[in-house]
Amino acid sequence: LTQQPIRGNVSFFSVGGHSLLATQMVLQIQAQLGIEVPVRVIFESPHLSDFAEQCERLSQGGHEIPLAEAPFIASYAQQRLWFIEQWVEQGQSYHLSSCFKIEGEVDITLLQRALVAVIQRHEPLRTHFYREGDQVFQRCHDVLEQQVQNFDGTAEAWQQFLESQQAFQFNLNDGPVFIATIAALQPGYELLLQCHHIAMDGWSIGLLTKDIGQFYQHYKAQSEAPAGLSIQYKDYSAWQRIAQD
């Protein structure tokens, strides 16, 4: 933020706060304090002292997001993106793509397992969408085989493949909305992650790669698996509709 230190009577938004920073903050609170704070709490209680009181209440069991029940309605943002994709030719406007070079030796089998585990952990990465009447709904599927791929070819062929993916089009109705491709090159390895913005934003790439690394180390060391998620995005989507009523 633009001001340090922050006094209790100062608004989060008056010192440089915005929606992206709000999302980052609640994720840090969950990671460091173990408290799940809905992003809307920052908007409803933007002053530090008020926000701290809300966090204290939530830490004592005041969680307000109920688990969603089927059929799972899409969030307002998901519905907007779905309609845009149906009626407007967008090309790569909502296509997130990141390619990572991996140093050192890599067990491809373990990396594949880690990728599958991450897709299973985060339901938006395996969610498809459908329309009923004037509403758009989301349906979570099993991990599709084509969501974790291996590239077998030369470094030159890999570069050609990367260029060809610039024209890739996601199918939000049939999926997948997320694809990971592992390339074993000489030398080294690269990992291409492709995702539609309906499932993830650019900032979330860092969280995703962290999860991939944790699951890889889990399988390599045969250690305890990362804890599951108590709340999924479909739960937030359902709560968002309730909050508007």
Side-chain angles (χ1 to χ4, degrees):
L1 297 174
T2 58
Q3 177 178 319
Q4 296 290 341
I6 306 297
R7 296 182 180 275
N9 61 350
V10 172
S11 170
F12 173 77
F13 300 102
S14 69
V15 289
H18 50 73
S19 58
L20 182 57
L21 285 176
T23 302
Q24 295 178 12
M25 185 166 76
V26 298
L27 289 171
Q28 287 295 321
I29 291 172
Q30 181 176 0
Q32 298 183 27
L33 303 178
I35 306 172
E36 293 184 357
V37 182
V39 175
R40 71 168 179 84
V41 173
I42 299 177
F43 290 85
E44 295 175 350
S45 304
H47 295 90
L48 179 59
S49 57
D50 296 335
F51 180 73
E53 291 181 3
Q54 295 292 338
C55 289
E56 177 66 21
R57 181 177 59 82
L58 290 170
S59 71
Q60 297 174 359
H63 199 291
E64 296 186 353
I65 299 183
L67 297 181
E69 297 182 359
F72 304 115
I73 197 165
S75 69
Y76 292 120
Q78 288 175 326
Q79 181 167 284
R80 181 172 62 252
L81 288 171
W82 185 90
F83 276 110
I84 289 174
E85 286 292 319
Q86 306 311 303
W87 306 113
V88 181
E89 185 65 35
Q90 290 297 314
Q92 296 296 296
S93 298
Y94 297 102
H95 185 160
L96 304 176
S97 180
S98 296
C99 189
F100 302 90
K101 294 184 182 295
I102 306 175
E103 299 180 352
E105 288 299 317
V106 175
D107 187 317
I108 298 296
T109 300
L110 296 186
L111 181 54
Q112 290 174 329
R113 292 178 64 189
L115 287 164
V116 170
V118 168
I119 298 172
Q120 289 175 331
R121 174 181 174 84
H122 298 283
E123 289 186 359
L125 302 181
R126 49 190 174 92
T127 294
H128 305 174
F129 299 85
Y130 65 97
R131 180 180 179 180
E132 284 190 1
D134 61 352
Q135 297 288 358
V136 178
F137 294 86
Q138 51 185 312
R139 180 183 290 121
C140 186
H141 293 259
D142 293 334
V143 180
L144 299 176
E145 183 177 351
Q146 64 264 39
Q147 287 193 263
V148 180
Q149 304 177 359
N150 286 335
F151 177 86
D152 185 14
T154 64
E156 181 180 359
W158 173 244
Q159 290 304 313
Q160 294 175 349
F161 173 77
L162 293 178
E163 292 176 5
S164 72
Q165 293 305 292
Q166 295 178 11
F168 182 82
Q169 294 291 315
F170 287 101
N171 186 326
L172 303 186
N173 299 322
D174 301 324
V177 296
F178 173 83
I179 299 173
T181 306
I182 307 168
L185 306 172
Q186 295 297 330
Y189 302 85
E190 293 190 14
L191 175 64
L192 174 65
L193 302 179
Q194 298 169 272
C195 188
H196 192 281
H197 187 51
I198 201 169
M200 184 174 62
D201 59 22
W203 181 78
S204 300
I205 290 286
L207 298 177
L208 189 68
T209 55
K210 179 181 178 180
D211 274 3
I212 294 171
Q214 289 180 338
F215 273 101
Y216 182 86
Q217 292 300 324
H218 154 64
Y219 289 124
K220 184 177 181 180
Q222 298 183 350
S223 58
E224 183 178 355
L229 302 177
S230 59
I231 297 293
Q232 291 285 348
Y233 191 79
K234 67 176 185 287
D235 302 312
Y236 164 76
S237 300
W239 167 85
Q240 185 184 55
R241 301 288 176 148
I242 296 172
Q244 292 296 318
D245 294 338

